[in-house]
Amino acid sequence: MVFFDLEPKSTGPSKTEYDVIIVGAGPAGLGAAIYSGRAGLSTLVIEKNIEGGQILLTDVMENYPGYGLINSNELAQRFKEHADMFGTEFDYGEVVKVELAGEQKLVYLDNGKAYKSKVIIIATGASPRRLGVPGEDRFISKGVSYCAVCDGAFFTNKNVAVVGGGDSAVDEALYLSRIAAKVTIIHRRDKLRAVKSLQEKAFNNPKIDFIWDTIVKEIKGTDKVESLILQNLKTGEIKELPFDGVFIFIGLNPNSGIFKDIVDVDENGFIKTNEDMETNVDGIFAAGDVRVKSVRQVITAVADGAIAATIAARKYFE
Amino acid sequence: MAKVLNNKIVNDLKKIFSEELEKKVKLLLFKVDDESVCEYCNLTRDLLEELKEVDERVELEVYDFNTDKDVVEKYGIERVPAIVILDEDGKDYGVRFYGIPSGHEFSTLIDDIVTFSKGPVPSLSAETIEQLKKIDQKVKIQVFVTPTCPYCPRAVLTAHHFALVNENIVGEMIEANEFMDLSMKFGVSAVPHIVVNEEHSFVGALPEANYLNEVLKALK
């Protein structure tokens, strides 16, 4: 079980001004970096955690072409190395402010650094959405979690609930079923939205149970999570069931906070783009989960990045 | 002895160390031999031995937690395995790892080694450094992590870089699975979970300014 993942923070950036700055080193950002570097543009990728983005929240990928089954860390690392191949530079920190100054964009990091570029590609991805029920905030790290690979080990042989019915929820339930004593998927509809292959694995897993047509009304406990108050949407019936933990995977919120005042977003904060990944602001693109789109997968994020960088190269550097 | 690090990682490390390392860096490992007491002590020793082999600027001293009492006391080591990083002159900045730095935390260890070899110079904003320098009481920042948590390295590195600024500050990585009692004591069930001076805690890899605010809250 012990593994060693080397994601070295390569030599710091060589300069403070670039053709293209990409914010976020998930699939969209690294996809953009490959195309931007290959187009001969000087490219800086800024990442706050480690390369890979949401890839790292799952242990195995089975739907990225060319690999069959691949360990998620390995796929992330290959993306990074591929971007390195074309001379991409990296820096690490959280972008806290972006300013427009004519054709130039100024990007400020939480560690005090600042960079300039002509083009910005926003590839900041998305984060798990909160349920917004009583008890949720209070019990974070006391039984409430949004990351099975991070926190699964705290629920060894415990009884956990997974809220949601999409790919993430079912994938995480399958992961947790290897650790926990029992996993109960609580879903507000009468069938899962996850892809068929995941559904079949979940239905065939003896450790996974389902509660249909049901929402969580409240998370209860004294020092930590002890139970959930559930409501059946069809019958209206309310009941309380004991759980040691609850993993919430009901969808994504865009990581678009600092860009909201600069570019157009939809009512949920996802950044609006055209099919060339352009936002309403000249020289600012968005790619991947942070933008308005209907399919959020590694492969579609990578494609967004490729489109953004290609159009940027054509439009601003030819 | 089976190799802990595969060839690809060793080759990548060779490249990183040859490009990045400047001065020598000293790693102190505190361990016990008995695997029924410390499951990962021997593996951690093997890991650090292999790191030492990669580049001669990485030095290693191994101490026994039970018998080398004066060294254990000098560095305030509380449990094993523990790693302390010192600069070339043997100066202690309060950077600690409790538990094996495996998974994503292996990168944290490598980042720290590179940082120490280059100074160490904290990678923090001028405002943060100014505020940290003002702290005139002991601060212990314990960052609970799991090896599979991609958000955790950043939370650990922030604590470590805070420690570089002020000798009152100690920044510790704590592998939550290895020290379940401690995790239970502080009610850790989602990581990164940061505990400051054993009383104030927060969850998540916050941006630098917010992280600093949380640390300062424990001092009021």
Side-chain angles (χ1 to χ4, degrees):
Chain A
M1 274 295 278
V2 179
F3 73 105
F4 297 94
D5 185 39
L6 181 60
E7 309 217 19
K9 304 207 181 340
S10 16
T11 312
S14 59
K15 49 189 186 178
T16 55
E17 196 169 337
Y18 290 84
D19 292 334
V20 177
I21 290 178
I22 298 165
V23 187
L30 294 173
I34 291 167
Y35 276 73
S36 172
R38 197 160 168 268
L41 307 180
S42 68
T43 306
L44 176 71
V45 177
I46 301 171
E47 169 58 39
K48 62 176 181 176
N49 293 309
I50 49 185
E51 295 86 1
Q54 291 173 76
I55 294 182
L56 303 176
L57 300 182
T58 153
D59 61 338
V60 176
M61 291 286 309
E62 59 177 24
N63 54 3
Y64 196 76
Y67 291 110
L69 279 181
I70 183 167
N71 175 285
S72 300
N73 291 326
E74 191 185 339
L75 184 65
Q77 197 163 11
R78 282 175 186 252
F79 280 5
K80 160 75 163 52
E81 286 169 355
H82 201 157
D84 283 339
M85 213 171 105
F86 295 109
T88 305
E89 297 189 9
F90 288 83
D91 198 8
Y92 299 87
E94 182 159 350
V95 173
V96 288
K97 195 170 66 168
V98 172
E99 276 175 9
L100 304 178
E103 279 212 331
Q104 292 284 342
K105 280 91 191 165
L106 304 171
V107 177
Y108 299 90
L109 273 61
D110 65 338
N111 56 19
K113 292 193 201 167
Y115 294 101
K116 263 188 226 174
S117 67
K118 198 167 178 184
V119 165
I120 293 182
I121 299 174
I122 303 168
T124 44
S127 306
R129 191 189 304 158
R130 295 196 171 191
L131 266 180
V133 299
E136 184 176 16
D137 287 344
R138 190 181 145 207
F139 291 116
I140 285 180
S141 196
K142 294 181 177 69
V144 172
S145 174
Y146 305 86
C147 176
V149 295
C150 302
D151 306 329
F154 299 111
F155 300 91
T156 305
N157 297 323
K158 298 270 177 71
N159 173 26
V160 299
V162 168
V163 184
D167 285 352
S168 293
V170 176
D171 202 27
E172 306 273 345
L174 288 164
Y175 180 87
L176 289 168
S177 73
R178 298 177 349 220
I179 302 166
K182 189 178 165 214
V183 179
T184 305
I185 294 179
I186 299 166
H187 187 40
R188 63 193 163 133
R189 303 188 197 287
D190 60 4
K191 55 177 179 289
L192 298 172
R193 216 181 61 162
V195 293
K196 279 281 176 298
S197 72
L198 285 174
Q199 289 196 26
E200 278 165 19
K201 281 185 201 168
F203 290 138
N204 292 328
N205 188 313
K207 276 187 173 178
I208 299 180
D209 277 348
F210 298 85
I211 299 179
W212 303 106
D213 301 313
T214 296
I215 58 169
V216 177
K217 297 287 282 183
E218 188 180 349
I219 300 169
K220 290 183 75 171
T222 46
D223 296 327
K224 55 189 178 63
V225 172
E226 287 164 14
S227 65
L228 298 179
I229 307 288
L230 304 175
Q231 181 176 32
N232 185 304
L233 290 175
K234 285 201 171 146
T235 64
E237 185 202 354
I238 289 183
K239 61 181 173 184
E240 183 170 357
L241 285 180
F243 289 102
D244 302 309
V246 53
F247 285 77
I248 297 164
F249 306 107
I250 53 163
L252 296 168
N253 277 332
N255 300 327
S256 62
I258 61 159
F259 304 103
K260 273 184 190 164
D261 299 331
I262 301 176
V263 298
D264 282 350
V265 297
D266 75 357
E267 66 278 11
N268 296 314
F270 290 98
I271 297 172
K272 293 181 182 174
T273 68
N274 62 18
E275 66 178 27
D276 287 341
M277 306 302 142
E278 294 175 291
T279 69
N280 60 312
V281 178
D282 226 29
I284 301 189
F285 295 75
D289 283 3
V290 75
R291 76 180 189 94
V292 178
K293 63 193 295 192
S294 47
V295 179
R296 291 193 170 82
Q297 294 286 314
V298 176
I299 189 172
T300 61
V302 171
D304 281 4
I307 293 166
T310 304
I311 300 297
R314 276 186 206 159
K315 195 163 170 184
Y316 297 99
F317 300 100
E318 262 180 14
Chain B
M1 186 178 75
K3 296 273 284 175
V4 180
L5 298 173
N6 65 37
N7 288 338
K8 179 176 187 306
I9 288 184
V10 170
N11 288 332
D12 288 350
L13 279 174
K14 276 185 184 149
K15 183 164 178 287
I16 295 163
F17 283 170
S18 71
E19 286 170 4
E20 305 279 344
L21 292 192
E22 292 170 17
K23 297 185 287 182
K24 284 180 181 172
V25 176
K26 196 178 280 185
L27 305 177
L28 309 185
L29 169 66
F30 295 84
K31 67 181 288 280
V32 296
D33 291 330
D34 187 348
E35 290 203 357
S36 69
V37 176
C38 176
E39 189 182 352
Y40 292 105
C41 276
N42 289 328
L43 191 63
T44 307
R45 182 201 56 210
D46 295 347
L47 172 71
L48 298 187
E49 294 278 0
E50 288 180 28
L51 274 186
K52 190 184 76 172
E53 291 305 313
V54 173
D55 195 296
E56 60 182 14
R57 284 165 290 193
V58 179
E59 299 181 338
L60 173 65
E61 291 174 12
V62 181
Y63 294 101
D64 188 291
F65 185 62
N66 296 322
T67 56
D68 295 315
K69 287 204 162 50
D70 46 338
V71 193
V72 167
E73 198 175 318
K74 179 178 174 188
Y75 293 100
I77 301 305
E78 296 171 52
R79 58 195 80 82
V80 286
I83 299 170
V84 176
I85 308 185
L86 308 177
D87 73 4
E88 183 180 46
D89 303 323
K91 183 170 180 214
D92 177 21
Y93 290 82
V95 170
R96 305 277 186 274
F97 288 85
Y98 284 112
I100 186 166
S102 70
H104 297 305
E105 295 307 324
F106 180 61
S107 301
T108 307
L109 175 66
I110 302 305
D111 282 336
D112 277 338
I113 290 174
V114 169
T115 299
F116 269 76
S117 177
K118 289 180 169 175
V121 179
S123 174
L124 298 167
S125 70
E127 297 81 27
T128 300
I129 290 176
E130 193 185 327
Q131 295 230 48
L132 288 170
K133 277 189 174 158
K134 287 186 199 153
I135 295 175
D136 57 2
Q137 52 180 295
K138 296 288 177 201
V139 181
K140 182 160 75 175
I141 308 172
Q142 297 175 295
V143 185
F144 288 83
V145 305
T146 59
T148 42
C149 159
Y151 310 109
C152 290
R154 181 171 182 231
V156 176
L157 284 171
T158 305
H160 283 174
H161 282 252
F162 281 12
L164 296 180
V165 175
N166 185 328
E167 59 186 26
N168 285 317
I169 305 171
V170 173
E172 302 176 348
M173 180 210 84
I174 297 179
E175 208 284 272
N177 297 319
E178 276 179 68
F179 305 106
M180 229 5 138
D181 291 353
L182 204 60
S183 303
M184 301 268 277
K185 177 181 165 189
F186 293 112
V188 176
S189 82
V191 288
H193 183 126
I194 298 104
V195 179
V196 186
N197 284 354
E198 305 201 347
E199 49 186 17
H200 178 64
S201 70
F202 60 101
V203 179
L206 301 180
E208 188 182 299
N210 307 53
Y211 200 116
L212 175 65
N213 282 339
E214 292 293 335
V215 169
L216 294 176
K217 274 184 199 167
L219 310 184
K220 280 166 193 165

